[in-house]
C-alpha cells in the first residue's frame, strides 16, 4: 500500500491530501498537523468571508526570487483551477466585481467544512497535535518524527507546513535538512512602519490615496484606502507594498510617496488650487481648501511646507507656495523604517527557492519529497492570490505524489 504523509493541515496541506487520496484510491494518506485542529488560518481570511481565489492570475501578482520559474509553474495553475476544485468538493463559488473569488455563502467556516468533508470522503487520516520536528529518508522510506515522539513512515512526503507568519511547524528546517536553500524570510502583507513628525496627529484617518515606494531601481505603486496610524501607514495599498521590501537593511533609506489625488495630474491639482484662491481670496486657508482632503491631513502637509496655520489668509499664499502645495499633495514623502512584526503579517515572503523543485513541485534534491504553499518562495498580493497558490500548489503536489511510482 502506498503511504503519503502531508506535513501541515492548512490550505495547501488540505488540498494536497484530498488530491492525493482521490488520485491514489486505497493509498494511506495522513495529514500531520501541529495545532489542535486543521485549517485555522482559513477561518480568518477575507474578514471571515474567505477570499479564496481570483479570476486574474498573473506572474505580476506574485513576488519571488525566481520569476521565470514561477511563470512556468503558474501555467499549470490557471484561475479556473480554484473554483473547479471547490465545486468538486461541493462549494459554490462566485467572483465579485473585481474578480476576487468568494464562497457564494460568504462564510469562511463553510470553506473549511467542505474541505474536511472531502478529506473524510476521500479516506485520508488526520493526526492533530503532531508537530513534526524531524524528517529523514532511508532505503526509499521517509520517517517523520513529532515533538511528542510519535513516528510515521511514508513513501512520499509533502511539506505544506505553512510559513513563519502562520507560526506552525518547522517546515523550513525540514526542507533545509535535505539540502534546500532559502530565499530570506520576511513578513509580507503587513502594515509599514514610518518615521514622520505628523503621524501621531494623523492617527485614525483614512483617505483614498496613491502610494509608491522605490527600491533598487524598482518602483511599486498602489491606489486605495490608506490608513494612517501612530506607527506608520496601513490599509491594502501599504500592505501590498510590503511585498517589495523584503528584508529591509538598517542602512537602507526607503521613502513612501503619498498622492492625495491619484486620479489627477500635477497640473490639474495646481489649477484647482489656483481657482479656489482666485474665487475665495478673502477667506482663510481652512475654508478655501475645505472639502479637498481631511483637515488634519491638509494641516500636516501645510506644516511640512512651513505654510501653516490654516487660519492664514488665502490671499497671503505666494505663487511658489501654491506650487509647492500642489506638489506635496501629489508627492508627500514619508520615510519607511520597516514593517510591523510577524504577528501582524498575513503571508510569509521568501522560502525554498523555486529552482529546487520540478514542474510537479517535487524536490530536485530528494525524490519523493514535495513542497507546497508558503514553504516555497512565492508571495502574492491581497485579493485571493495567496490562497490560489496554496490550493493549486497543494493539488499539484498531492496528485504528483499519488502518481509517483514506488519500489
Amino acid at each position: 500500500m502506498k503511504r503519503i504523509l502531508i506535513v501541515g493541515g492548512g490550505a495547501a496541506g488540505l488540498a494536497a491530501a484530498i488530491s492525493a487520496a482521490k488520485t491514489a484510491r486505497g493509498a494511506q494518506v495522513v495529514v500531520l498537523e501541529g495545532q489542535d485542529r486543521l485549517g485555522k488560518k482559513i477561518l480568518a481570511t477575507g474578514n471571515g468571508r474567505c477570499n479564496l481565489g481570483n479570476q486574474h492570475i498573473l506572474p505580476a501578482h506574485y513576488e519571488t526570487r525566481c520569476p521565470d520559474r514561477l511563470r512556468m509553474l503558474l501555467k499549470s495553475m490557471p484561475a479556473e483551477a480554484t473554483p473547479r476544485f471547490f465545486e468538486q468538493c461541493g462549494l459554490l463559488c462566485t467572483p465579485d466585481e473585481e474578480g476576487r473569488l468568494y464562497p457564494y455563502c460568504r462564510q469562511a467556516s463553510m470553506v473549511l467544512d467542505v474541505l474536511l468533508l472531502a478529506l473524510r470522503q476521500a479516506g485520508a487520516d488526520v493526526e492533530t497535535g503532531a508537530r513534526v520536528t524531524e524528517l529523514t529518508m532511508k532505503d526509499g522510506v521517509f520517517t517523520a518524527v513529532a515533538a511528542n515522539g510519535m513516528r510515521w513512515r511514508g513513501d512520499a512526503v509533502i511539506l505544506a507546513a505553512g510559513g513563519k507568519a502562520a507560526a506552525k511547524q518547522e517546515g523550513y528546517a525540514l526542507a533545509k535538512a535535505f539540502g534546500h536553500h532559502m530565499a530570506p524570510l520576511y513578513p509580507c502583507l503587513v502594515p509599514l512602519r514610518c518615521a514622520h513628525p505628523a503621524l501621531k496627529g494623523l492617527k485614525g484617518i483614512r483617505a483614498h490615496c496613491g502610494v509608491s515606494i522605490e527600491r533598487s531601481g524598482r518602483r511599486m505603486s498602489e491606489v486605495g484606502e490608506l490608513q494612517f496610524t501612530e506607527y506608520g501607514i496601513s490599509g491594502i495599498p501599504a500592505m501590498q507594498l510590503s511585498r517589495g521590501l523584503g528584508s529591509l537593511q538598517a542602512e537602507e533609506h526607503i521613502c513612501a510617496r503619498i498622492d492625495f489625488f491619484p486620479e489627477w495630474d500635477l497640473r490639474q491639482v495646481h489649477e484647482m488650487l489656483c481657482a479656489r484662491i482666485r474665487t475665495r481670496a478673502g477667506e482663510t486657508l481652512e475654508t478655501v481648501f475645505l472639502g479637498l482632503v481631511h483637515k488634519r491631513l491638509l494641516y500636516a502637509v501645510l506644516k511640512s511646507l512651513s505654510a501653516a496655520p490654516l487660519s492664514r489668509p488665502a490671499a497671503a499664499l505666494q505663487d511658489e507656495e501654491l506650487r509647492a502645495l500642489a506638489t506635496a499633495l501629489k508627492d508627500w514623502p514619508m520615510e519607511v523604517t520597516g514593517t510591523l512584526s510577524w504577528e501582524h503579517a498575513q503571508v510569509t515572503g521568501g522560502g525554498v527557492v523555486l529552482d529546487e523543485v520540478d514542474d510537479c513541485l517535487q524536490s530536485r534534491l530528494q525524490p519523493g519529497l514535495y513542497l507546497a504553499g508558503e514553504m516555497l518562495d512565492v508571495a502574492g498580493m491581497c485579493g485571493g492570490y495567496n490562497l490560489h497558490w496554496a490550493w493549486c500548489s497543494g493539488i499539484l503536489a498531492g496528485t504528483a505524489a499519488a502518481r509517483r511510482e514506488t519500489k
Side-chain angles (χ1 to χ4, degrees), residues 19-143:
S19 300
K22 284 185 174 181
T23 302
R25 295 289 183 182
Q28 183 185 55
V29 177
V30 183
V31 180
L32 305 176
E33 168 56 47
Q35 299 193 56
D36 58 357
R37 60 180 296 187
L38 302 176
K40 275 189 173 182
K41 191 176 177 182
I42 296 172
L43 297 174
T45 58
N47 293 321
R49 297 180 300 157
C50 197
N51 176 197
L52 48 78
N54 199 291
Q55 290 184 312
H56 311 294
I57 301 299
L58 297 170
H61 297 145
Y62 295 89
E63 290 292 323
T64 180
R65 293 287 186 92
C66 304
D68 292 337
R69 188 81 191 99
L70 175 63
R71 190 174 297 108
M72 293 299 296
L73 288 169
L74 286 179
K75 289 181 179 180
S76 61
M77 305 177 187
E80 58 269 21
T82 292
R84 183 169 59 239
F85 170 71
F86 278 101
E87 285 164 11
Q88 291 170 352
C89 293
L91 184 73
L92 183 62
C93 301
T94 184
D96 67 7
E97 64 279 0
E98 295 183 17
R100 293 173 297 217
L101 192 68
Y102 289 93
Y104 190 78
C105 61
R106 295 298 199 274
Q107 285 182 282
S109 59
M110 188 66 74
V111 176
L112 184 56
D113 286 344
V114 299
L115 288 171
L116 296 179
L117 177 61
L119 194 68
R120 292 195 299 272
Q121 291 176 336
D125 297 321
V126 174
E127 294 281 354
T128 56
R131 184 169 62 87
V132 176
T133 56
E134 182 182 346
L135 183 65
T136 58
M137 204 275 193
K138 183 178 180 181
D139 298 330
V141 178
F142 291 93
T143 301

Side-chain angles (χ1 to χ4, degrees), residues 2-8 12-13 16 20 135 137 142 154-162 171 174-175 178 180 352 356-373 375-376 393-406:
K2 180 177 288 187
R3 299 164 298 177
I4 302 172
L5 304 178
I6 291 96
V7 181
L135 183 65
M137 204 275 193
F142 291 93
D155 304 298
V157 172
I158 301 170
L159 286 181
L174 300 178
F178 288 95
H180 280 288
V352 176
E356 295 182 354
V357 295
D358 66 15
D359 292 346
C360 295
L361 302 184
Q362 181 175 213
S363 167
R364 296 186 189 276
L365 307 180
Q366 176 56 67
L369 179 67
Y370 298 80
L371 298 100
M375 287 294 306
L376 294 161
S393 62
I395 293 166
L396 186 60
T399 303
R403 291 175 175 167
R404 179 174 179 266
E405 294 294 331
T406 56

Side-chain angles (χ1 to χ4, degrees), residues 69-404:
R69 188 81 191 99
L70 175 63
R71 190 174 297 108
M72 293 299 296
L73 288 169
L74 286 179
K75 289 181 179 180
S76 61
M77 305 177 187
E80 58 269 21
T82 292
R84 183 169 59 239
F85 170 71
F86 278 101
E87 285 164 11
Q88 291 170 352
C89 293
L91 184 73
L92 183 62
C93 301
T94 184
D96 67 7
E97 64 279 0
E98 295 183 17
R100 293 173 297 217
L101 192 68
Y102 289 93
Y104 190 78
C105 61
R106 295 298 199 274
Q107 285 182 282
S109 59
M110 188 66 74
V111 176
L112 184 56
D113 286 344
V114 299
L115 288 171
L116 296 179
L117 177 61
L119 194 68
R120 292 195 299 272
Q121 291 176 336
D125 297 321
V126 174
E127 294 281 354
T128 56
R131 184 169 62 87
V132 176
T133 56
E134 182 182 346
L135 183 65
T136 58
M137 204 275 193
K138 183 178 180 181
D139 298 330
V141 178
F142 291 93
T143 301
V145 183
N148 60 10
M150 292 287 291
R151 292 172 175 263
W152 298 266
R153 290 161 65 87
D155 304 298
V157 172
I158 301 170
L159 286 181
K164 188 172 180 178
K168 290 187 184 179
Q169 306 182 63
E170 292 86 347
Y172 298 121
L174 300 178
K176 283 182 179 180
F178 288 95
H180 280 288
H181 298 87
M182 305 283 297
L185 303 180
Y186 63 96
C188 199
L189 300 190
V190 63
L192 304 183
R193 289 190 178 278
C194 300
H196 197 284
L199 278 173
K200 286 187 178 180
L202 300 179
K203 179 181 177 181
I205 294 176
R206 296 169 181 254
H208 178 73
C209 299
V211 59
S212 63
I213 61 172
E214 187 169 334
R215 188 185 191 197
S216 303
R218 178 193 176 195
R219 186 180 178 86
M220 293 180 66
S221 300
E222 295 290 336
V223 176
E225 186 179 72
L226 200 64
Q227 300 172 29
F228 292 87
T229 70
E230 70 276 12
Y231 57 78
I233 51 177
S234 185
I236 289 179
M239 296 176 76
Q240 300 279 45
L241 292 179
S242 70
R243 296 163 49 243
L245 291 180
S247 301
L248 193 61
Q249 303 301 311
E251 65 275 10
E252 287 189 88
H253 296 284
I254 295 178
C255 189
R257 315 201 75 90
I258 299 172
D259 181 356
F260 296 103
F261 292 91
E263 285 79 26
W264 296 27
D265 62 27
L266 177 60
R267 179 185 58 82
Q268 290 173 313
V269 173
H270 181 250
E271 289 178 351
M272 177 266 293
L273 295 178
C274 289
R276 288 203 169 215
I277 294 291
R278 282 196 306 270
T279 58
R280 304 165 70 175
E283 301 180 29
T284 64
L285 293 181
E286 180 177 5
T287 58
V288 166
F289 296 139
L290 190 68
L292 297 184
V293 296
H294 194 287
K295 187 186 299 186
R296 278 189 282 157
L297 287 174
L298 178 62
Y299 177 76
V301 172
L302 286 169
K303 188 175 181 181
S304 70
L305 299 173
S306 299
L310 290 175
S311 58
R312 183 182 178 190
L317 204 63
Q318 301 298 311
D319 184 60
E320 60 269 22
E321 291 179 300
L322 204 56
R323 292 184 181 279
L325 176 58
T327 299
L329 289 173
K330 286 290 295 176
D331 188 8
W332 196 45
M334 186 171 290
E335 182 186 359
V336 177
T337 59
T339 68
L340 291 195
S341 64
W342 285 101
E343 289 75 18
H344 301 273
Q346 293 184 14
V347 175
T348 300
V352 176
V353 296
L354 290 180
D355 284 340
E356 295 182 354
V357 295
D358 66 15
D359 292 346
C360 295
L361 302 184
Q362 181 175 213
S363 167
R364 296 186 189 276
L365 307 180
Q366 176 56 67
L369 179 67
Y370 298 80
L371 298 100
E374 288 185 72
M375 287 294 306
L376 294 161
D377 175 30
V378 178
M381 298 170 59
C382 297
Y385 298 103
N386 288 293
L387 274 181
H388 175 84
W389 170 258
W391 311 126
C392 291
S393 62
I395 293 166
L396 186 60
T399 303
R403 291 175 175 167
R404 179 174 179 266

